[in-house]
Amino acid sequence: MKVGIITLGCDKNTVDSERYLAQLSDFSAEYTSELSDADVILVNTCGFIDAAKKESIDAMIEAARFKTDGRCQAVVAVGCMIERHKQELLEALPEVDLFLGSSEMQRLVPELTERGLLGEMSEDLHPGVRLYTGELPHVRYMKISEGCDHGCAFCAIPLMRGKHRSFALDEVVREAQLLELQGARELNLVAQDLAHYGRDRRDGNKLPELLEALVAETSVPWIRMLYLYSAGITDRLLDVVAREQRVLPYLDMPIQHGSDPVLARMRRPERKRTIRERVQKFRDAVPNVAIRTTCIVGFPGETEEQFEELLEFLEEIQFERVGAFTYSPQEGTRAAEYADDVHEAVKRERLERLTELQRSITAERYESRLGRTALALVDRTNPENGTSQARLPWQADDIDGVTQIDESLPPGTMAEVAVEEVVDDYDFQASLIRVTLPIGAPTRSKASRQLPISQVTIGSYGR
């Protein structure tokens, strides 16, 4: 059986999809990137905002088309949107054969087996918990916890993913070692809030201890933190980031707004003062840190004055990058009970104004990095014109622009470069100084902890 997969939404869904494919491969399933050749198509959905829900529905309908235009025998919709809206989707999309929410994934193999679509369990089990299908095997995402305990008024993630559950430190380290053996040179740590890691386990291991363990037990050159609330910026964490060169000076810290009344209505744990203080504390401890954030415009009750306050706050703080989106009410959340009183046209206009402001801030922040040398990770090569597409430490995969290098180098190569020019506000031009880590070069003589020899099931990792 051949299986294709469509993954939507956040990087945490990417991790889940890799685990689902690895589990199916133990039953003789073979991954195909051509959906027209797939016997089964999995659609891993996102239900965070309305636009994501529409994209998920469109993907399910598109996948079902291959039941007539390809060889598909079953379309399976899984993930966050299914967890929240399964009953409505069962009625609305009869062309989808199976709906499984995030909490039901232990049923995936039995359901496909019952339909005669899976073979016998392989004697030679897949050696890891994940099966990579992307274009950049040197860039991997690793989920360190599941669920969320924050009570943000606008967010349905706790309703889709449940309460926060941290994965055991040893399990996370072993997974990192496996990813390293598969060629990872950048590990992106993901969770709903990285700073909550370990609070529920009561074994003394929190995010700083996890970072130290990953540095000690792997040789992955880049370890990047994605999505960490400002409340989790502790002196202990700052000490680790400042001390460990392989923990990148990069922080993805969502603030959502810059007006205290709006933050209060959002039920966010921070206020302007605490955000300001923690950003400054991080910049004092790690001078070259790049900080990315996320904002919502058009939240119920947001006045023009409060939106202007957000713009002023962004101008004051000078984040390197800002991801912004317009508010849409999500069923079951506290904010869905509020009057959605900001007109859609006003939301779009505010989004455009914020985006334009941040474009100029980013350009200015990036200009300040010119004339420096930096380490670059090559993602793609261009032998035709003798260049490479890479990223610098302050450029996360897929969201922070790219850097063009004036030499053709294999993907996965790490090189020291001179940063020379900002291109189109978000990208850089750089020249090669020297290769510091060629592709294929050994980075570690041996793993100091025993790697797992058996498959972790879909039901593991807090599901």
Side-chain angles (χ1 to χ4, degrees), residues 73-352:
Q73 300 177 56
V75 174
V76 182
V78 303
C80 291
M81 185 180 180
I82 312 307
E83 186 74 19
R84 292 279 286 124
H85 302 288
K86 183 174 180 177
Q87 281 307 123
E88 303 105 285
L89 293 169
L90 277 167
E91 297 172 6
L93 296 174
E95 57 264 61
V96 175
D97 301 275
L98 179 61
F99 292 94
L100 295 175
S102 300
S103 62
E104 302 177 295
M105 292 310 297
Q106 73 280 359
R107 289 176 45 203
L108 178 62
V109 167
E111 291 280 358
L112 293 180
T113 300
E114 186 177 324
R115 288 165 168 77
L117 295 170
L118 286 180
E120 296 295 322
M121 179 180 283
S122 171
E123 294 183 4
D124 182 20
L125 294 182
H126 192 274
V129 298
R130 313 222 334 237
L131 182 62
Y132 183 70
T133 60
E135 298 178 356
L136 306 177
H138 57 278
V139 181
R140 301 300 296 273
Y141 292 84
M142 189 169 69
K143 190 159 56 169
I144 68 171
S145 65
E146 183 61 278
C148 184
D149 288 340
H150 291 293
C152 302
F154 55 84
C155 185
I157 286 174
L159 301 173
M160 295 184 283
R161 293 284 185 170
K163 291 288 188 179
H164 170 85
R165 293 94 71 199
S166 301
F167 308 149
L169 186 143
D170 283 351
E171 287 182 349
V172 177
V173 169
R174 285 196 294 268
E175 183 173 359
Q177 291 172 340
L178 283 166
L179 296 177
E180 181 179 6
L181 289 175
Q182 294 169 11
R185 292 200 162 175
E186 178 180 7
L187 273 184
N188 294 279
L189 306 186
V190 295
Q192 300 305 332
D193 180 4
L194 291 176
H196 266 198
Y197 178 78
R199 293 184 181 184
D200 54 320
R201 298 193 65 86
R202 304 181 187 277
D203 58 6
N205 292 318
K206 294 187 170 63
L207 182 59
E209 287 73 27
L210 174 60
L211 291 172
E212 289 175 329
L214 291 173
V215 169
E217 305 293 347
T218 78
S219 294
V220 177
W222 278 9
I223 300 171
R224 187 185 302 274
M225 294 185 293
L226 297 179
Y227 216 77
L228 185 151
Y229 281 53
S230 69
I233 299 174
T234 63
D235 291 343
R236 175 90 170 89
L237 176 64
L238 291 174
D239 174 67
V240 173
V241 178
R243 173 169 31 92
E244 301 292 355
Q245 293 186 350
R246 286 160 49 208
V247 178
L248 293 180
Y250 181 96
L251 181 63
D252 184 352
M253 185 190 76
I255 65 168
Q256 307 304 4
H257 214 275
S259 166
D260 282 352
V262 178
L263 289 168
R265 287 199 301 277
M266 288 179 167
R267 296 174 62 84
R268 294 289 292 176
E270 309 98 340
R271 295 296 182 265
K272 283 176 63 174
R273 178 184 60 81
T274 55
I275 295 169
R276 181 187 293 114
E277 290 173 352
R278 285 171 179 136
V279 167
Q280 190 57 53
K281 195 171 186 178
F282 214 116
R283 284 176 171 162
D284 288 344
V286 188
N288 291 322
V289 67
I291 305 180
R292 177 186 180 85
T293 195
T294 309
C295 296
I296 300 172
V297 300
F299 190 75
E302 182 191 60
T303 64
E304 178 64 23
E305 290 75 19
Q306 289 167 345
F307 174 70
E308 289 285 351
E309 191 176 357
L310 168 60
L311 296 184
E312 291 170 6
F313 193 58
L314 293 177
E315 200 154 15
E316 173 196 344
I317 299 297
Q318 298 276 300
F319 293 105
E320 269 71 14
R321 296 297 301 272
V322 174
F325 56 94
T326 59
Y327 169 78
S328 60
Q330 301 304 307
E331 181 184 350
T333 63
R334 184 179 294 264
E337 301 172 5
Y338 304 162
D340 188 11
D341 55 359
V342 182
H343 194 278
E344 290 300 319
V346 175
K347 292 179 184 178
R348 291 193 297 271
E349 185 264 342
R350 289 178 181 175
L351 180 62
E352 290 172 6

